[in-house]
């Protein structure tokens, strides 16, 4: 069976880890400022016994399951952003190479530059 990391790759993994850490930080900050985290977790279905046995770390990790749609959304948006940035960089490089070719001619380019230009011909 294919899992989310197999399907979405590194972007899913990174967004998932960022969300996990964020949930832990927010849960810890809320608890340290007097927010009734156990009551909130009880409303989410995590019993007081589970909370006592596992502590804040495990409870916030379990609460993070609610953010699974956010993981996928973040993964998809991250990939789209990376593709857009990569595409812009590629177009910019191709423009620079064409300008250089116009200045020095095809023979004035390095072998690598000629190969890069061939990719878009």
């Amino acid at each position: 069976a294919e899992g989310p990391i197999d399907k979405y790759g590194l972007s899913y993994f990174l967004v998932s880890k960022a969300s996990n850490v964020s949930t832990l930080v927010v849960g810890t900050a809320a608890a340290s400022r007097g927010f009734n985290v156990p009551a909130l977790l009880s409303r989410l279905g995590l019993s007081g016994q589970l909370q006592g046995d596992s502590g804040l770390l495990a409870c916030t990790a379990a609460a993070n399951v609610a953010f699974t749609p956010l993981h996928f959304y973040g993964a998809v948006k991250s990939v789209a952003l990376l593709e857009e940035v990569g595409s812009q960089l590629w177009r910019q490089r191709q423009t620079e190479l064409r300008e250089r070719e116009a200045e020095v001619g095809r023979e004035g380019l390095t072998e690598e530059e000629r190969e890069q230009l061939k990719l878009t011909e």
Side-chain angles (χ1 to χ4, degrees):
E2 190 173 275
I5 291 181
D6 295 325
K7 188 171 183 180
Y8 295 100
L10 182 61
S11 61
Y12 174 83
F13 176 77
L14 294 176
V15 170
S16 173
K17 294 307 164 199
S19 176
N20 288 340
V21 170
S22 298
T23 304
L24 178 60
V25 168
V26 169
T28 302
S32 69
R33 294 196 177 19
F35 185 76
N36 192 354
V37 175
L40 175 64
L41 293 173
S42 293
R43 277 188 260 143
L44 294 174
L46 300 172
S47 69
Q49 179 64 36
L50 173 67
Q51 295 176 42
D53 291 343
S54 61
L56 181 62
L57 175 64
C59 290
T60 57
N64 192 50
V65 171
F67 294 113
T68 299
L70 178 65
H71 298 167
F72 290 108
Y73 177 80
V76 169
K77 289 297 182 181
S78 297
V79 167
L81 177 66
L82 289 172
E83 286 177 346
E84 179 61 30
V85 168
S87 177
Q88 288 174 2
L89 290 172
W90 176 258
R91 286 192 301 269
Q92 179 183 1
R93 177 67 175 152
Q94 290 300 306
T95 300
E96 291 170 358
L97 286 174
R98 282 191 215 99
E99 289 172 356
R100 181 161 156 69
E101 181 183 28
E103 290 174 14
V104 299
R106 189 77 163 186
E107 293 74 30
L109 298 176
T110 66
E111 183 64 33
E112 182 181 355
E113 290 171 331
R114 287 192 294 270
E115 290 296 321
Q116 288 177 3
L117 278 174
K118 281 184 189 178
L119 293 173
T120 56
E121 293 176 346

